[in-house]
Amino acid sequence: MRLRVEFTTEPFDLDEVPAHALVAREVIEAAELDAVDVGPFGNTAEGPADAVLTAMDALLRKTLESGATRVSLQVNVIGEASGE
């Protein structure tokens, strides 16, 4: 199964990128995911279900440890994994 995840971390700071947002970017860019798009008001990534779920576990743990007070995420099934 392939998944698409969209997520944001809060609180927002328009003057300086918060530590939790930097951590989220590091986690998502280091994960084995496709079509990663990191932006100031939302982030998306796609990949095989195991990779997405593993990345989201790391993202939740690390961003909360880095000061996030809220993490919003949405996960959608977008198809079957290649070769299935």
Side-chain angles (χ1 to χ4, degrees), residues 66-78:
S66 297
T69 57
R70 179 179 176 152
V71 179
S72 301
L73 67 99
Q74 178 175 316
V75 179
N76 293 297
V77 175
I78 58 171

Side-chain angles (χ1 to χ4, degrees), residues 28-75:
I28 205 71
E29 288 180 344
E32 295 181 21
L33 301 174
D34 314 323
V36 172
D37 183 23
V38 177
F41 299 107
N43 310 284
T44 61
E46 296 178 9
D50 285 343
V52 171
L53 297 173
T54 297
M56 290 303 98
D57 178 63
L59 183 127
L60 289 168
R61 292 175 189 278
K62 291 179 179 182
T63 57
L64 293 170
E65 290 170 359
S66 297
T69 57
R70 179 179 176 152
V71 179
S72 301
L73 67 99
Q74 178 175 316
V75 179

Side-chain angles (χ1 to χ4, degrees), residues 15-35:
D15 296 324
E16 185 175 326
V17 179
H20 59 80
L22 294 173
V23 167
R25 178 180 294 171
E26 290 171 9
V27 169
I28 205 71
E29 288 180 344
E32 295 181 21
L33 301 174
D34 314 323

